[in-house]
Amino acid sequence: MGSDPIHDELDERAAAVAEQVVAWRRHLHRHPELPNREVDTARLVADRLRTLDLDEVRTGIAGHGVVGVLRGGVPGERVVALRADTDALPVRDLCGAEFASEVVDTEYPGGPFPVSHACGHDCHTAALLGAATVLAGVRERLPGTVLFVFQPAEEGPPVTEEGGARAMVEAGAFDGPVPTMVFGLHVTPYPKGYVGYRIGNQYGASVLVRIVVTGRQTHGSTPWEGVDPMPAVGAVLTGIGQLYRQVSAFDPVTVSIGHVEDVGRFNIVGQTVTLWGTVRCAVESGMERVRQRLTTLAEHSAAAYGATAEVAYLQPVPPVRNTGPWVAAGLPTFRRVVGAERVVETPGTLGYDDVSELVGRFGGLYVMLGVQDTVLDAAGRPVPEPGGRGLATNHNPGFYADDDTLVTAVRLHAHVAHDHLAGALLPRDDG
């Protein structure tokens, strides 16, 4: 694919907006909001999009989702949707930056929680605002339509609420115009400016699990008068560590219990204990077997101690899958933006991202963008760069992202959008 003169202009416009993108990112980082509570974030996004004189700015989609619509000045049938997630995490901010979050949400279900952008969604949102600015500046030369999709609740809404990418689809956010491609990126502890891609499942399948173990309450001095749910809970937690032996060793799975919830006091044998966790599978077809085995484990372990267990699976998310034809179509664009030596194939991960709801429906690509002081070792894994700030994974309180890399994210969005609309980034049927 040859270079189009407009690519240089996209880069120049990205450089011109880079300082503003950093300012947006730092503001968002200092003022994070949890899933389905992205009120101020959505307001900032919508206000900025309105200054660009887009054809439409749709708000209030599936909670606090925002979609900007930019119709190009050249006839074209293609529609590219550029997606950024906007929500933060209930994680303390230990990134060490002067703009670190000090927010505590005292009203969120299950809280109070410290809140931070420990997954980098502040970077995603700021970069897409920058890309919207860049593309609006060349709208008269765009042959088609761009959708700027700012999605809430990627991390999952409270269990009593709906939200996220699927909710945006069900709310009609993509009914008109319908995307012919979806593109997104996720910042990661790869070396700064590296683009990581994978043919196949980039991220795994996921589901939230809730296990409620119920006994019969009594005083701690007379446990024989009741049924203690705690031994059953212990058996479930221990048994989870053996589930991997009941599924294929060639398709990684994990079951993690992240929260144990009890109601009572030290001298009471309580009535119920609730376990909250997540099931991840590298291959979606393995999810059903893992769920069956986990349900059997919980129910039978509880029964062995005279208790009962109810298992519920909530908020399922399919894997993010990049197909070979789409990757082949996108690689020339990625290599032009960051250099061929910085475009690398990555292993799969059991992380999840509900952008899968969009890429799976409409086609497209989801890639990783390195933002940390790391280098790749001989096996292609990121390791800390000598003298740098180290490596901190997403969801870690110390997660950080280099501001200087944000302009690369802007350029990726802008180049991908232009190339798809111009017909240069399309999957080949013979892929």
Side-chain angles (χ1 to χ4, degrees):
M1 179 176 65
S3 181
D4 189 302
I6 198 174
H7 294 142
D8 290 337
E9 183 173 349
L10 294 177
D11 289 342
E12 292 167 2
R13 289 179 176 272
V17 78
E19 186 175 338
Q20 181 61 69
V21 170
V22 170
W24 285 325
R25 183 268 167 130
R26 292 187 174 193
H27 174 85
L28 292 167
H29 193 93
R30 195 188 296 272
H31 301 95
E33 295 172 300
L34 290 172
N36 273 9
R37 305 295 187 272
E38 309 91 338
V39 177
D40 293 336
T41 301
R43 182 181 299 115
L44 182 152
V45 167
D47 288 348
R48 175 56 189 171
L49 293 180
R50 291 189 181 105
T51 70
L52 301 178
D53 194 28
L54 303 184
D55 295 275
E56 297 178 67
V57 177
R58 307 168 183 166
T59 61
I61 304 171
H64 303 295
V66 179
V67 175
V69 182
L70 175 66
R71 295 186 175 90
V74 180
E77 298 300 319
R78 298 185 188 93
V79 180
V80 60
L82 305 177
R83 178 267 201 172
D85 35 16
T86 62
D87 56 329
L89 287 163
V91 174
R92 188 180 176 193
D93 193 340
L94 298 178
C95 72
E98 57 86 17
F99 52 88
S101 168
E102 297 180 357
V103 172
V104 175
D105 191 326
T106 60
E107 299 180 0
Y108 204 75
F113 293 115
V115 186
S116 75
H117 273 295
C119 201
H121 297 183
D122 53 333
C123 300
H124 304 166
T125 300
L128 187 52
L129 284 175
T133 305
V134 169
L135 292 168
V138 297
R139 65 184 303 163
E140 295 307 320
R141 283 171 283 167
L142 293 179
T145 301
V146 186
L147 303 180
F148 304 104
V149 180
F150 295 85
Q151 178 211 310
E154 186 278 330
E155 299 290 354
V159 293
T160 58
E161 303 175 14
E162 299 295 325
R166 183 180 300 175
M168 289 193 77
V169 172
E170 293 172 350
F174 306 97
D175 290 348
V178 177
T180 54
M181 177 188 185
V182 174
F183 175 73
L185 56 86
H186 204 300
V187 295
T188 185
Y190 265 63
K192 290 182 290 189
Y194 274 60
V195 170
Y197 71 92
R198 177 176 172 81
I199 297 173
N201 287 358
Q202 178 87 55
Y203 289 90
S206 170
V207 71
L208 185 156
V209 59
R210 180 185 64 207
I211 304 172
V212 181
V213 179
T214 302
R216 187 170 69 252
Q217 185 167 312
T218 186
H219 195 280
S221 64
T222 56
W224 57 87
E225 297 290 348
V227 175
D228 190 348
M230 286 297 185
V233 167
V236 173
L237 293 173
T238 301
I240 282 174
Q242 293 297 309
L243 283 179
Y244 77 94
R245 302 186 67 184
Q246 301 174 34
V247 296
S248 171
F250 298 98
D251 296 324
V253 303
T254 185
V255 180
S256 299
I257 300 299
H259 181 62
V260 179
E261 184 178 283
D262 183 24
V263 178
R265 65 193 307 269
F266 72 95
N267 63 344
I268 294 177
V269 172
Q271 184 84 3
T272 63
V273 178
T274 302
L275 309 180
W276 297 91
T278 184
V279 180
R280 306 293 175 90
C281 296
V283 178
E284 188 174 20
S285 59
M287 180 64 78
E288 183 58 32
R289 179 161 178 79
V290 176
R291 287 171 51 156
Q292 290 174 352
R293 299 308 304 164
L294 179 56
T295 298
T296 299
L297 169 68
E299 292 177 346
H300 288 205
S301 295
Y305 289 92
T308 61
E310 294 184 5
V311 184
Y313 298 97
L314 312 167
Q315 300 180 0
V317 176
V320 177
R321 179 172 176 78
N322 292 323
T323 67
W326 272 110
V327 170
L331 284 176
T333 300
F334 303 151
R335 289 167 178 157
R336 182 199 321 121
V337 172
V338 303
E341 72 283 0
R342 291 187 176 90
V343 178
V344 297
E345 191 165 6
T346 67
T349 171
L350 290 176
Y352 84 86
D353 194 306
D354 71 352
V355 72
S356 57
E357 298 283 0
L358 310 181
V359 173
R361 279 178 170 82
F362 306 115
L365 291 163
Y366 199 62
V367 299
M368 305 166 86
L369 176 64
V371 293
Q372 291 191 2
D373 293 338
T374 62
V375 295
L376 298 182
D377 66 12
R381 296 170 299 203
V383 295
E385 183 180 38
R389 288 167 288 179
L391 186 156
T393 60
N394 302 73
H395 289 220
N396 183 296
F399 178 82
Y400 71 93
D402 180 12
D403 282 338
D404 292 343
T405 311
L406 297 179
V407 69
T408 304
V410 175
R411 293 175 58 228
L412 282 166
H413 278 299
H415 280 247
V416 166
H418 171 268
D419 290 354
H420 179 66
L421 297 184
L425 200 169
L426 293 172
R428 293 179 45 161
D429 291 340
D430 60 3

Short mmCIF file of all heavy atoms in Angstrom, two decimals, residues 201-226:
data_model
loop_
_atom_site.label_atom_id
_atom_site.label_comp_id
_atom_site.label_asym_id
_atom_site.label_seq_id
_atom_site.Cartn_x
_atom_site.Cartn_y
_atom_site.Cartn_z
N ASN A 201 -7.62 -15.26 18.96
CA ASN A 201 -8.15 -14.62 20.16
C ASN A 201 -7.09 -13.75 20.83
O ASN A 201 -6.17 -14.26 21.46
CB ASN A 201 -8.68 -15.67 21.14
CG ASN A 201 -9.98 -16.29 20.67
OD1 ASN A 201 -10.52 -15.92 19.62
ND2 ASN A 201 -10.49 -17.24 21.42
N GLN A 202 -7.26 -12.44 20.69
CA GLN A 202 -6.36 -11.50 21.35
C GLN A 202 -6.63 -11.49 22.86
O GLN A 202 -5.71 -11.40 23.67
CB GLN A 202 -6.58 -10.10 20.79
CG GLN A 202 -5.73 -9.01 21.42
CD GLN A 202 -4.39 -8.86 20.75
OE1 GLN A 202 -4.30 -8.68 19.56
NE2 GLN A 202 -3.33 -8.96 21.54
N TYR A 203 -7.91 -11.57 23.22
CA TYR A 203 -8.33 -11.64 24.62
C TYR A 203 -9.26 -12.83 24.77
O TYR A 203 -9.88 -13.29 23.80
CB TYR A 203 -9.06 -10.37 25.04
CG TYR A 203 -8.18 -9.15 25.17
CD1 TYR A 203 -7.97 -8.32 24.08
CD2 TYR A 203 -7.58 -8.82 26.37
CE1 TYR A 203 -7.17 -7.19 24.18
CE2 TYR A 203 -6.77 -7.70 26.49
CZ TYR A 203 -6.58 -6.89 25.38
OH TYR A 203 -5.78 -5.78 25.49
N GLY A 204 -9.39 -13.32 26.00
CA GLY A 204 -10.18 -14.51 26.24
C GLY A 204 -11.66 -14.23 26.46
O GLY A 204 -12.11 -13.09 26.50
N ALA A 205 -12.41 -15.32 26.58
CA ALA A 205 -13.81 -15.23 26.98
C ALA A 205 -13.88 -15.09 28.49
O ALA A 205 -13.03 -15.60 29.23
CB ALA A 205 -14.56 -16.49 26.53
N SER A 206 -14.90 -14.38 28.96
CA SER A 206 -15.00 -14.08 30.38
C SER A 206 -16.45 -14.16 30.85
O SER A 206 -17.38 -13.91 30.08
CB SER A 206 -14.45 -12.67 30.66
OG SER A 206 -14.73 -12.26 31.98
N VAL A 207 -16.61 -14.50 32.12
CA VAL A 207 -17.91 -14.40 32.76
C VAL A 207 -17.70 -14.17 34.25
O VAL A 207 -16.73 -14.66 34.84
CB VAL A 207 -18.75 -15.68 32.51
CG1 VAL A 207 -18.19 -16.87 33.29
CG2 VAL A 207 -20.21 -15.46 32.85
N LEU A 208 -18.57 -13.38 34.83
CA LEU A 208 -18.55 -13.14 36.27
C LEU A 208 -19.31 -14.27 36.95
O LEU A 208 -20.39 -14.67 36.48
CB LEU A 208 -19.21 -11.79 36.57
CG LEU A 208 -19.22 -11.25 38.00
CD1 LEU A 208 -19.35 -9.73 37.98
CD2 LEU A 208 -20.38 -11.83 38.82
N VAL A 209 -18.77 -14.81 38.04
CA VAL A 209 -19.44 -15.89 38.76
C VAL A 209 -19.78 -15.44 40.18
O VAL A 209 -18.97 -14.77 40.84
CB VAL A 209 -18.58 -17.18 38.79
CG1 VAL A 209 -17.24 -16.95 39.46
CG2 VAL A 209 -19.33 -18.31 39.48
N ARG A 210 -20.98 -15.81 40.61
CA ARG A 210 -21.41 -15.57 41.99
C ARG A 210 -21.84 -16.90 42.59
O ARG A 210 -22.70 -17.59 42.05
CB ARG A 210 -22.59 -14.59 42.03
CG ARG A 210 -23.09 -14.29 43.46
CD ARG A 210 -24.33 -13.41 43.41
NE ARG A 210 -25.44 -14.08 42.75
CZ ARG A 210 -26.43 -13.44 42.09
NH1 ARG A 210 -26.43 -12.13 42.01
NH2 ARG A 210 -27.40 -14.13 41.52
N ILE A 211 -21.21 -17.27 43.71
CA ILE A 211 -21.54 -18.52 44.40
C ILE A 211 -22.05 -18.16 45.79
O ILE A 211 -21.31 -17.57 46.58
CB ILE A 211 -20.31 -19.44 44.50
CG1 ILE A 211 -19.73 -19.73 43.13
CG2 ILE A 211 -20.68 -20.74 45.22
CD1 ILE A 211 -18.40 -20.48 43.16
N VAL A 212 -23.27 -18.51 46.08
CA VAL A 212 -23.86 -18.25 47.39
C VAL A 212 -23.97 -19.58 48.14
O VAL A 212 -24.73 -20.47 47.73
CB VAL A 212 -25.24 -17.58 47.28
CG1 VAL A 212 -25.82 -17.30 48.67
CG2 VAL A 212 -25.15 -16.28 46.47
N VAL A 213 -23.21 -19.72 49.20
CA VAL A 213 -23.23 -20.93 50.03
C VAL A 213 -24.08 -20.64 51.27
O VAL A 213 -23.83 -19.67 51.99
CB VAL A 213 -21.81 -21.35 50.45
CG1 VAL A 213 -21.86 -22.59 51.33
CG2 VAL A 213 -20.94 -21.59 49.22
N THR A 214 -25.09 -21.45 51.48
CA THR A 214 -26.06 -21.20 52.55
C THR A 214 -26.05 -22.36 53.56
O THR A 214 -26.15 -23.54 53.18
CB THR A 214 -27.48 -21.04 51.98
OG1 THR A 214 -27.48 -19.96 51.04
CG2 THR A 214 -28.47 -20.73 53.10
N GLY A 215 -25.91 -22.00 54.83
CA GLY A 215 -26.01 -22.98 55.91
C GLY A 215 -27.19 -22.64 56.79
O GLY A 215 -28.26 -22.25 56.30
N ARG A 216 -27.01 -22.77 58.13
CA ARG A 216 -28.07 -22.39 59.07
C ARG A 216 -27.40 -21.71 60.26
O ARG A 216 -26.50 -22.26 60.90
CB ARG A 216 -28.86 -23.62 59.53
CG ARG A 216 -30.07 -23.26 60.38
CD ARG A 216 -30.99 -24.45 60.63
NE ARG A 216 -30.37 -25.45 61.51
CZ ARG A 216 -29.93 -26.64 61.09
NH1 ARG A 216 -30.01 -26.96 59.79
NH2 ARG A 216 -29.39 -27.51 61.94
N GLN A 217 -27.83 -20.50 60.51
CA GLN A 217 -27.15 -19.67 61.50
C GLN A 217 -27.35 -20.18 62.93
O GLN A 217 -28.42 -20.67 63.29
CB GLN A 217 -27.65 -18.23 61.39
CG GLN A 217 -26.92 -17.25 62.29
CD GLN A 217 -27.22 -15.81 61.90
OE1 GLN A 217 -27.17 -15.45 60.75
NE2 GLN A 217 -27.54 -14.99 62.91
N THR A 218 -26.29 -20.03 63.72
CA THR A 218 -26.38 -20.39 65.13
C THR A 218 -25.25 -19.67 65.88
O THR A 218 -24.43 -18.99 65.28
CB THR A 218 -26.24 -21.92 65.32
OG1 THR A 218 -26.46 -22.25 66.69
CG2 THR A 218 -24.86 -22.40 64.90
N HIS A 219 -25.24 -19.84 67.18
CA HIS A 219 -24.18 -19.21 67.99
C HIS A 219 -22.87 -20.00 67.82
O HIS A 219 -22.87 -21.22 67.65
CB HIS A 219 -24.59 -19.19 69.47
CG HIS A 219 -23.75 -18.27 70.30
ND1 HIS A 219 -22.50 -18.62 70.78
CD2 HIS A 219 -24.00 -17.01 70.76
CE1 HIS A 219 -22.01 -17.61 71.47
NE2 HIS A 219 -22.91 -16.62 71.48
N GLY A 220 -21.75 -19.29 67.87
CA GLY A 220 -20.46 -19.92 67.70
C GLY A 220 -20.13 -20.95 68.75
O GLY A 220 -19.27 -21.82 68.53
N SER A 221 -20.80 -20.87 69.89
CA SER A 221 -20.53 -21.84 70.97
C SER A 221 -21.28 -23.14 70.77
O SER A 221 -20.99 -24.14 71.44
CB SER A 221 -20.92 -21.23 72.32
OG SER A 221 -22.32 -20.99 72.37
N THR A 222 -22.25 -23.17 69.84
CA THR A 222 -23.04 -24.39 69.61
C THR A 222 -23.14 -24.66 68.11
O THR A 222 -24.23 -24.64 67.52
CB THR A 222 -24.46 -24.25 70.19
OG1 THR A 222 -25.09 -23.08 69.62
CG2 THR A 222 -24.42 -24.13 71.70
N PRO A 223 -22.02 -24.91 67.44
CA PRO A 223 -22.06 -25.08 65.98
C PRO A 223 -22.90 -26.28 65.55
O PRO A 223 -23.42 -26.30 64.43
CB PRO A 223 -20.58 -25.28 65.61
CG PRO A 223 -19.92 -25.74 66.88
CD PRO A 223 -20.66 -25.05 67.98
N TRP A 224 -23.07 -27.28 66.42
CA TRP A 224 -23.87 -28.45 66.06
C TRP A 224 -25.35 -28.14 65.93
O TRP A 224 -26.12 -28.94 65.39
CB TRP A 224 -23.66 -29.56 67.08
CG TRP A 224 -23.98 -29.15 68.50
CD1 TRP A 224 -25.20 -29.19 69.13
CD2 TRP A 224 -23.07 -28.60 69.45
NE1 TRP A 224 -25.11 -28.73 70.40
CE2 TRP A 224 -23.81 -28.36 70.64
CE3 TRP A 224 -21.71 -28.31 69.44
CZ2 TRP A 224 -23.23 -27.81 71.79
CZ3 TRP A 224 -21.14 -27.79 70.59
CH2 TRP A 224 -21.88 -27.54 71.74
N GLU A 225 -25.75 -26.95 66.44
CA GLU A 225 -27.15 -26.54 66.33
C GLU A 225 -27.46 -25.89 64.97
O GLU A 225 -28.62 -25.61 64.67
CB GLU A 225 -27.49 -25.54 67.44
CG GLU A 225 -27.36 -26.09 68.84
CD GLU A 225 -28.44 -27.13 69.14
OE1 GLU A 225 -29.40 -27.24 68.34
OE2 GLU A 225 -28.30 -27.83 70.16
N GLY A 226 -26.43 -25.64 64.16
CA GLY A 226 -26.63 -25.02 62.86
C GLY A 226 -25.84 -25.74 61.79
O GLY A 226 -25.41 -26.89 61.97
#
